């Protein structure tokens, strides 16, 4: 079973209350306030776990609560902090608010950890409030409440290359030929109903991840076939491979349909760097059928013809894109921060900035010196 969308409820812990306590000891009947602070509530934390491939674990457990902080106690004892709740998700998971769809976290890097909700703060014990005029405070503050929220987890597989094609174009056959993945292959449409990912080596110590998604057909944007639902898994691919069966009734039309459907899903996706690959060259070739069609490669996934060339071409494209690309931003905040144009002239080089700082003392230094000397 493959699950790529799920709604869960999360709650961070309440803070523990502060304690009101007055010390009475032998020979010390009025020992003063000694109530300790409450502990902080636990946080709701998400972590990327590369050992997970989909959101299946969330089918059974959909509610996650962090522990509440413990209240403070007498003798200035602080309450224990509530334990965080750690939610492990596969790489590529996005977390959105269920009520308005706002993107809160984008978890992509292995081991990445992000706090979604902080726990409530701990209350202050009465010992905090003692003062010369208030020597017996009989009050403490309560702990802050935790937060709860419903969030949607959505997995968008992180693959470098996405295979898009009609059913039966041979996408799964190609993935099986290039990688160790073993997707189901058969000569009926929609054999593949969930995405598969395989790792394809393309040079020494180098490889890329390739995703095979269920086939697209004309009208997929209206929900025909399996619709557009799996296109989200090629959204993050750097390179797309349009795989077209050269022996199909009308390969030219198929390619047009694929492009149209992708553009209907996301115009940006349709403009992604792509290769047009014709498959099943063992059955026929374009010139035999007098097909007028632009394509990049003609391969046969079944016999393995020109597959090495295909892998090399993809490898080169990826290398080129990587060289141009900035590293993927780690935190969402850097993704959504609007781009402010930088005025080169206003920028001060760090070395110059240092000089400036030492050249003129901050304006309030003199003032404070004067005030201090007056007091004396
Ligand atoms: N002759 C020939 N047959 C092929 C080739 N590649 C795939 N096939 C056959 O085409 C049929 C469909 O292949 P699949 O790999 O299941 O196609 P798919 O694109 O994954 O199809 P869906 O999962 O249904 O979208 C199978 O019977 C394959 O054996 C090829 O290069 N040559
Ligand atoms: Mg398939």
């Amino acid at each position: 079973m493959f699950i790529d969308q799920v709604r869960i409820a999360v709650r961070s812990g309440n803070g523990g209350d502060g304690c009101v306590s007055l010390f009475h000891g032998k020979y010390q009947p009025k020992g003063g306030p000694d109530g300790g602070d409450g502990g902080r509530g636990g946080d709701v934390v998400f972590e990327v776990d590369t050992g997970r491939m989909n959101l299946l674990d969330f089918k059974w457990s959909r509610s996650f609560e962090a522990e509440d902080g413990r209240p403070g106690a007498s003798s200035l004892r602080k309450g224990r902090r509530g334990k965080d709740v750690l939610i492990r998700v596969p790489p590529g998971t996005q977390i959105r608010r269920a009520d308005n769809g706002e993107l809160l976290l984008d978890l992509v890097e292995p081991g990445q950890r992000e706090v979604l909700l902080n726990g409530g703060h701990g209350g202050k014990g009465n010992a905090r409030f003692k003062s010369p005029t208030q020597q017996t405070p009989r009050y403490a503050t309560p702990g802050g409440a935790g937060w709860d929220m419903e969030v949607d987890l959505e997995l968008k597989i992180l693959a470098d290359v996405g295979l898009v094609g009609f059913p039966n174009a041979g996408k799964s056959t190609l993935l099986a030929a290039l990688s160790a993945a073993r997707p189901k292959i058969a000569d009926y449409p929609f054999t593949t109903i969930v995405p598969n990912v395989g790792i394809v080596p393309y040079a020494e110590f180098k490889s890329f991840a390739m995703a095979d998604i269920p086939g697209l057909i004309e009208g997929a944007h209206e929900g025909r076939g399996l619709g557009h639902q799996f296109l989200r898994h090629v959204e993050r691919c750097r390179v797309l491979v349009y795989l077209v069966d050269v022996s199909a009734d009308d390969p030219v039309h198929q390619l047009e349909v694929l492009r149209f459907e992708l553009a209907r899903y996301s115009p940006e996706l349709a403009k992604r760097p792509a290769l047009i690959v014709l498959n099943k060259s063992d059955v026929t070739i374009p010139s035999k059928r007098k097909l007028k069609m632009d394509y990049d490669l003609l391969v046969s996934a079944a016999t393995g013809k020109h597959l090495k060339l295909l892998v090399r071409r993809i490898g080169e494209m990826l290398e080129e894109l990587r060289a141009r690309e900035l590293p993927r931003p780690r935190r969402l905040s850097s993704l959504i921060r609007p781009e402010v144009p930088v005025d080169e002239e206003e920028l001060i080089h760090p070395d110059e900035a240092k000089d400036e700082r030492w050249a003129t003392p901050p304006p309030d230094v003199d003032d404070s010196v004067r005030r201090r000397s007056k007091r004396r």
Side-chain angles (χ1 to χ4, degrees), residues 166-174 184-192 212-215 279-283 299-303:
F166 266 59
N168 275 344
K171 300 179 295 297
S172 305
T173 314
L174 182 65
K184 191 173 166 192
I185 297 169
D187 60 354
Y188 57 85
F190 300 112
T191 320
T192 305
D212 158 34
I213 60 163
N279 187 28
K280 308 199 186 178
S281 66
D282 53 310
V283 183
V299 304
S300 167
T303 65

Side-chain angles (χ1 to χ4, degrees), residues 165-167 190 215-228 250 253-254 256-258 260-261:
F166 266 59
F190 300 112
L216 282 177
I217 54 171
E218 195 162 3
H221 65 276
E222 292 161 349
R224 288 188 60 197
L226 294 181
H228 271 176
D250 192 352
H253 178 64
Q254 285 200 354
E256 280 167 4
V257 170
L258 289 177
F260 174 76
E261 291 296 339

